[in-house]
Amino acid sequence: METSEILKKVRKIEIKARGLSSNVFAGQYHSAFKGRGMAFSEVREYQYGDDIRDIDWNVTARFHHPYVKVFDEERELTVMLLIDVSGSLDFGTQRQLKRDMVTEIAATIAFSAIQNNDKIGVIFFSDHIEKYIPPKKGRHHILYIIREMLNFKPESRRTDVKQALEFLTSVSKRHCTAFVLSDFYDDQDFLQALQIANRKHDLVALQVYDVRAKELPDVGLMRVVDAETGHEQYIDTSSRSLRQAHQRYWERQQQRLYEYMNKSNVDLVSIATNEDYVKALLMLFKQRS
């Protein structure tokens, strides 16, 4: 992709994402993802109903009158985006590719985060860690992340969610909020890694999928290519049994994903490429508020 084209796309995504984070998600993100705890702010005179455990005994002794400590929520968070860059994301039969939607969602979350003075870091993963961008603040940092998302060329086209989760657990020493953005086309067992990561951090899974993964159209003979393995074959979509088998496979995979998330107590949002991800994110934020 030409540099000028990348810059145009970055600017377009920035305008949309900043608009959403400022106008649509204002306040929702803040209440959905809490700070690390409470930080001391000031002292004031004791009032009826104050918790006596908050009394500042040093100030009280000095002024011979009870004073209490006032605490503010310590808002600063570290937000990690675990972004799937495997081959299966380069697919889309509706309004856009899965990769395009993942980029827009990630950018919207990132701009929402910096408006709350949070740090943003990124882990690009396939079946290994492709790139790690340490958490930082600021618009320039986010624009760099968006450029990387648009122009990044992974070494591998396969997927291993477990690797990404284990890397998050090892590299992020302090508690963070982590969003896993993927289609979750991964037959490997990542349940234990998910549970361990969510015990240490606050995980949210955002699944982006195309409707054709769920249901095949009846259009006769069709050439299909596995984006991760490169395997190519022709299938007869006029076969009702084939379409039903395809749908059953999708349902089994989804059931497995739901079970993983339920057992790990991780919020899961599934968004099709022909759906409005804004509504999905708003519902997620409201549920967590």
Side-chain angles (χ1 to χ4, degrees):
M1 194 183 295
E2 295 289 335
T3 303
S4 59
E5 188 181 349
I6 292 173
L7 292 174
K8 284 180 183 177
K9 285 198 170 187
V10 169
R11 182 61 180 153
K12 185 178 179 181
I13 290 172
E14 180 192 9
I15 291 170
K16 182 174 182 179
R18 287 184 72 180
L20 288 172
S21 59
S22 299
N23 303 319
V24 181
F25 298 128
Q28 296 287 349
Y29 171 92
H30 176 96
S31 57
F33 303 101
K34 309 298 183 185
R36 290 194 304 271
M38 304 301 289
F40 171 71
S41 175
E42 59 183 354
V43 295
R44 61 166 171 76
E45 288 190 24
Y46 177 86
Q47 297 174 0
Y48 179 76
D50 285 339
D51 193 331
I52 61 171
R53 291 173 296 183
D54 292 336
I55 292 176
D56 188 319
W57 294 107
N58 290 328
V59 178
T60 297
R62 191 180 307 148
F63 292 101
H64 306 289
H65 188 79
Y67 280 79
V68 294
K69 295 177 182 178
V70 178
F71 295 87
D72 288 333
E73 184 186 358
E74 194 175 317
R75 260 303 310 166
E76 183 181 296
L77 286 173
T78 294
V79 177
M80 291 299 300
L81 303 174
L82 282 64
I83 299 177
D84 185 350
V85 293
S86 63
S88 61
L89 273 291
D90 291 320
F91 180 77
T93 63
Q94 305 300 307
R95 293 186 299 188
Q96 58 186 340
L97 299 178
K98 288 184 282 183
R99 189 178 306 282
D100 295 336
M101 178 173 275
V102 164
T103 300
E104 287 193 18
I105 292 172
T108 302
I109 293 170
F111 277 111
S112 297
I114 64 164
Q115 286 186 357
N116 282 275
N117 202 36
D118 297 339
K119 295 179 181 178
I120 291 284
V122 178
I123 299 169
F124 290 115
F125 72 93
S126 54
D127 60 353
H128 64 273
I129 304 307
E130 295 276 355
K131 184 167 186 168
Y132 170 55
I133 302 176
K136 287 183 182 179
K137 296 181 184 180
R139 175 177 173 269
H140 290 296
H141 180 61
I142 290 180
L143 294 181
Y144 165 64
I145 289 172
I146 295 172
R147 285 196 301 272
E148 286 296 296
M149 287 191 288
L150 287 171
N151 207 37
F152 190 77
K153 299 293 188 291
E155 294 177 357
S156 174
R157 299 186 63 80
R158 295 177 181 268
T159 309
D160 191 338
V161 177
K162 179 183 175 183
Q163 290 274 347
L165 294 168
E166 288 178 344
F167 184 79
L168 171 70
T169 301
S170 65
V171 79
S172 298
K173 301 303 180 185
R174 301 181 70 177
H175 177 84
C176 73
T177 297
F179 295 87
V180 187
L181 294 98
S182 174
D183 54 14
F184 291 96
Y185 285 1
D186 185 359
D187 291 329
Q188 300 177 72
D189 185 353
F190 58 87
L191 175 59
Q192 186 178 18
L194 187 70
Q195 291 173 328
I196 292 172
N198 197 48
R199 279 199 292 268
K200 185 176 181 182
H201 305 295
D202 180 12
L203 257 60
V204 178
L206 299 174
Q207 181 193 30
V208 175
Y209 70 94
D210 189 273
V211 291
R212 291 299 170 235
K214 188 176 182 179
E215 185 177 338
L216 279 176
D218 182 359
V219 293
L221 203 62
M222 176 189 291
R223 183 175 71 92
V224 294
V225 180
D226 188 314
E228 299 201 358
T229 66
H231 177 70
E232 180 180 329
Q233 67 179 25
Y234 283 87
I235 60 172
D236 183 6
T237 60
S238 64
S239 168
R240 186 177 178 182
S241 61
L242 183 141
R243 296 197 307 273
Q244 289 175 338
H246 177 84
Q247 187 166 359
R248 284 195 299 270
Y249 175 77
W250 162 262
E251 290 169 354
R252 285 196 303 270
Q253 292 297 95
Q254 286 300 103
Q255 184 60 38
R256 173 178 174 264
L257 183 60
Y258 296 151
E259 288 176 0
Y260 275 20
M261 298 304 163
N262 287 334
K263 288 179 180 178
S264 307
N265 198 29
V266 172
D267 289 329
L268 170 67
V269 179
S270 294
I271 312 166
T273 51
N274 62 340
E275 292 178 344
D276 184 359
Y277 67 83
V278 175
K279 289 182 181 178
L281 289 180
L282 274 174
M283 284 184 63
L284 168 69
F285 291 173
K286 287 177 181 177
Q287 286 171 2
R288 292 176 60 94
S289 297

